[in-house]
Amino acid sequence: MKVTVVGAGAVGATTADNIIRRNIAEEVILLDIKKGFAEGKAQDMSQTAALLGFESKITGVTNDYSATAGSSVAVITSGIPRKPGMTREELIGTNANIVKTVVENLVKHSPDIIILIVSNPMDTMTYLALKSSGLPKNRIIGMGGALDSARFKYQIGQKLNAAATDLNAIVIGGHGDTTMIPLIQHATWNSVRVSELLSDDEQADIVQKTMVGGATLTSLIGTSAWYAPGAAAAAMVESIVRNQGKLFTASVYLEGEFGHEDIALGVPVIINNKGWDRIVPMSLSEDEKELLNKSADAVRKMNQVLSD
Ligand code: NAI
């Protein structure tokens, strides 16, 4: 299978690196607009094959979409990241133009492609990609909830001194500091409810730290994070390419599910070789529904900017 990663910056390169190291796809095309940038990163990564022992091939190209022809999956990471003090929403103008053009070019060369959107503000970019491409809704997937859920598990693991892999916990809603909803009442450690093991204050602290997880890293590093975002995108690509049917929170187009429509919002979905195959229903409390409504309102407002 062939996978294209657009944007050879921090997140794109890390995504590609994870894909080739784990032989998820036989062929990876890394594309960037900056001359020579993707070529250089791809060569550097290729030179790790002898050391790490993988067979995947990676080729870097400068804005040459003909090289992406026949891709089964593309991950779009092109755009600008946020700087300390910026919200994801402030990136909208620049990234909307980039994402729209990139999607058009990808679809032209790979009409059956499944597209994973990473560029921020991700829910709005996912909505834009769907509306501008006219692709079936199942083939446009926004990556954000998978990362936020991994960060949520990290915070719970820190409090319980537990392995993140033993935790079951998801974040739904928009992929923004104030729009994401870490579902602490649903979180379990093996089959024990986390809420039975931690005080209210400890639970509130986990939720708060998860919501500012990205911003915390941005202020520490000076730009937004890439290791966990790249790992999250690669895990979703793997579920598509290997038809694993894994459950992720992903931003997908809703048509009444969870009480919302005409919006891309983070909900639990099964991901396989069809893209997102189906939305997994959950029973939410009245408080959680209220939070989801507020989150959807904020994302809708952001989507409105696209038509202003
Ligand atoms: P970066 O600045 O390191 O890389 C972006 C790359 O995109 C650059 O190499 C740039 O040359 C390239 N680019 C710009 N316009 C392009 C175009 N038209 N065609 C092809 N390439 C183009 O940024 P980073 O840190 O990799 O972040 C990328 C995006 O991902 C940002 O919008 C960031 O906010 C977002 N992000 C989203 C996450 C999520 O969970 N959804 C998590 C982390 C970052």
Side-chain angles (χ1 to χ4, degrees), residues 9-11 32-33 37 77-81 95 98 118 120 143 147 175:
V11 179
D32 202 285
I33 201 164
F37 193 56
T77 74
S78 47
I80 49 166
N95 287 355
I98 295 174
V118 177
N120 274 316
M143 192 294 284
L147 168 65
H175 175 60

Side-chain angles (χ1 to χ4, degrees), residues 117-130:
I117 305 284
V118 177
S119 309
N120 274 316
M122 181 278 292
D123 299 289
T124 297
M125 294 302 124
T126 303
Y127 182 80
L128 169 70
L130 185 88

